[in-house]
Amino acid sequence: MKRMSSIWLVIMLLSFSLMAAEEFTDESGLAWETNLDDAIAQAESSGKSVLVNFTGSDWCGWCIKLREEVFSKEAFHKYAKDNIVLVFLDFPKKKKLDPAVEAENRSIMEMYGIQGFPTILLLNSKGRLIGRTGYQEGGPEAYINHLKSFMKK
């Protein structure tokens, strides 16, 4: 009986740690969801689009470049706050993800046929794919205009 209660305690603690990890703020202060379903629900209630960032945060050079040149900039922060729900799906090599998070990320990657990093998906407020892109030169303003071009279609 004591062993059963210990197992339940571990399960509850793991559940709480997973719930706490469903959103994080990156080093630049930008808030990212890590659960796609939650992000789509937010987008639907707010009328925003969803930007899904498939990244190798600790090894992918183009991912790091996109983060440094676009996602870390104030212009992008302002645009994101008013227009998009951000989702961060990481595939790191140096740090370990929780196995459940890793499995969920991989499942979403397979569902969308992601072949490389960074891949950026833009979904409408219902979760329907409206655009697929990656790194683009030109900084945050050019990237914002690039995203807007998908929304006009």
Side-chain angles (χ1 to χ4, degrees), residues 4 9 11 22 24 43 59 74 80 91-92 111 129 137 145:
M4 189 64 132
L9 178 62
I11 290 171
E22 288 184 359
F24 79 97
W59 62 270
E74 187 61 30
F91 298 84
M111 180 172 72
L129 181 66
E137 289 185 332
N145 288 331

Side-chain angles (χ1 to χ4, degrees), residues 18-136:
L18 284 174
M19 286 190 298
E22 288 184 359
E23 182 180 300
F24 79 97
T25 302
D26 68 15
E27 62 276 356
S28 72
L30 196 58
W32 294 84
E33 290 292 326
T34 57
N35 182 293
L36 182 58
D37 292 333
D38 289 350
I40 291 171
Q42 281 182 40
E44 191 166 21
S45 67
S46 65
K48 295 179 180 180
S49 298
V50 178
L51 182 146
V52 186
N53 179 13
F54 291 86
T55 184
S57 66
D58 64 2
W59 62 270
C60 169
W62 291 108
C63 301
I64 293 166
K65 197 170 173 99
L66 180 59
R67 182 178 67 228
E68 290 173 353
E69 293 179 10
V70 176
F71 298 150
S72 69
K73 303 300 183 192
E74 187 61 30
F76 186 81
H77 289 214
K78 288 179 183 176
Y79 177 75
K81 181 181 175 192
D82 294 336
N83 297 284
I84 51 180
V85 177
L86 300 168
V87 180
F88 186 85
L89 299 180
D90 200 9
F91 298 84
K93 288 187 178 178
K94 297 174 188 162
K95 70 178 180 179
K96 281 291 189 196
L97 294 179
D98 179 279
V101 171
E102 187 176 340
E104 179 68 15
N105 289 359
R106 193 152 307 283
S107 172
I108 296 167
M109 182 176 100
E110 290 170 3
M111 180 172 72
Y112 285 103
I114 304 304
Q115 300 292 317
F117 304 109
T119 295
I120 305 298
L121 301 182
L122 196 60
L123 311 176
N124 68 14
S125 62
K126 304 285 187 203
R128 186 170 310 161
L129 181 66
I130 58 174
R132 180 185 296 251
T133 190
Y135 172 81
Q136 299 284 318

